[in-house]
Amino acid sequence: MSSSYELQSVELHKDILRYVDTGDGPPVVLVHGLLGSHLSWDTQIERLSQKYRVIAPDLFGHGESDKPSGDYSLSSHSATIRDLMDHLKIDSAPMVGHSLGGGIIMQLTYLFPERVDRLALVSSGGLGPEVSLLLKAATLPGSELVLPLLASDWFRKNTEGALAQLGRWGLPVKPGPSMAETWRSFRSVADRSTREAFLASTRAVVGPRGQTVSAKQHFEKFESIPSLLVWGGKDRMIPAKHADNIRREVPNSRVEIFPDAGHFPQLDEPDFFFRLLDEFLGANEVEKDTTAEITPAVMPLQRP
């Protein structure tokens, strides 16, 4: 993936965090998921930066940021986002979180509600126990020895039945942007420090029976915050039915399911995703400008 922006860096608690900071408009923060990086938003950063100041960090343990031993809990990641905002002198902003990033920004909203203008959750963790078998398997003893083999190109290309097995575990097996990004991310566990950070992050939120951390007890905190949920109908990592959990209990939310998208709807349908997110972010600026009470749009955008 090519880009016209460069990564910036800041030292936080003696570790280097790298991030995208591009565009001159109102700020928006994009938070990637497990094994992801700012590249998980690659098709969106260019578009959004034409209207917004886009902040897209590589979380600690991911991408080009340092991978220290230590705390990889949702609270630790959310504190990192807060510290980055402090460094950039951003008081508050809309938050967009994918997968694990969704859980992080919900935890950020719980811990530091004054920093969050609105929430966009994309294929988000933290809304139900069900996850792919791969993530549950990563919590088992010995998984650190198996992961490098599973992530190898040799295994994917040469082991009989490997693709079928990986499909049962929740990895996409059909060509497309979701598959390409999943494999790009998953291959990074061949690096020991990345693998250790992945296992620490996964085990902080997932157990052998599924997700162990739920945002449900904090839903009342979100009632006054406009929320957008976007999911791929063919997501094999985290099922789209989890969106119903927040739709039922947080009336000030909007849910959009992309029927043909996988775990990365922002990559599978980049044009429609951008239009949807831009509309959602634009309502935030109208609200700030008018100080009027804005009801989130409930009519879906029409695909071209």
Side-chain angles (χ1 to χ4, degrees), residues 204-231:
V205 294
V206 176
R209 296 185 178 182
Q211 293 191 75
T212 57
V213 177
S214 172
K216 186 174 182 179
Q217 66 268 32
H218 303 321
F219 279 173
E220 64 181 28
K221 290 272 188 178
F222 306 152
E223 289 180 357
S224 61
I225 300 177
S227 303
L228 170 68
L229 284 83
V230 180
W231 231 289

Side-chain angles (χ1 to χ4, degrees), residues 257-296:
I257 306 298
F258 292 16
D260 297 323
H263 190 55
F264 295 86
Q266 72 271 32
L267 301 180
D268 287 336
E269 294 196 44
D271 295 335
F272 187 69
F273 183 92
F274 168 72
R275 290 173 57 210
L276 185 65
L277 184 59
D278 181 39
E279 179 193 80
F280 181 69
L281 297 175
N284 186 63
E285 294 312 304
V286 171
E287 188 175 79
K288 284 187 172 182
D289 289 343
T290 65
T291 67
E293 182 176 349
I294 302 297
T295 301

Side-chain angles (χ1 to χ4, degrees), residues 20-62:
V20 172
D21 182 359
T22 183
D24 297 319
V28 56
V29 179
L30 310 180
V31 184
H32 64 77
L34 274 170
L35 291 177
S37 69
H38 68 282
L39 293 176
S40 300
W41 304 104
D42 196 64
T43 60
Q44 300 303 318
I45 291 175
E46 299 284 359
R47 292 173 168 89
L48 289 167
S49 65
Q50 302 303 309
K51 298 178 64 175
Y52 306 96
R53 181 186 180 186
V54 180
I55 310 300
D58 284 2
L59 297 170
F60 283 127
H62 297 74

Side-chain angles (χ1 to χ4, degrees), residues 160-180:
E160 185 176 357
L163 288 181
Q165 182 62 57
L166 292 172
R168 287 191 288 271
W169 288 345
L171 286 172
V173 296
K174 294 182 179 180
S178 273
M179 178 181 179

Side-chain angles (χ1 to χ4, degrees), residues 166-194:
L166 292 172
R168 287 191 288 271
W169 288 345
L171 286 172
V173 296
K174 294 182 179 180
S178 273
M179 178 181 179
E181 177 62 11
T182 299
W183 276 108
R184 185 199 66 77
S185 302
F186 191 53
R187 282 198 299 269
S188 67
V189 299
D191 172 71
R192 181 176 179 178
S193 60
T194 300

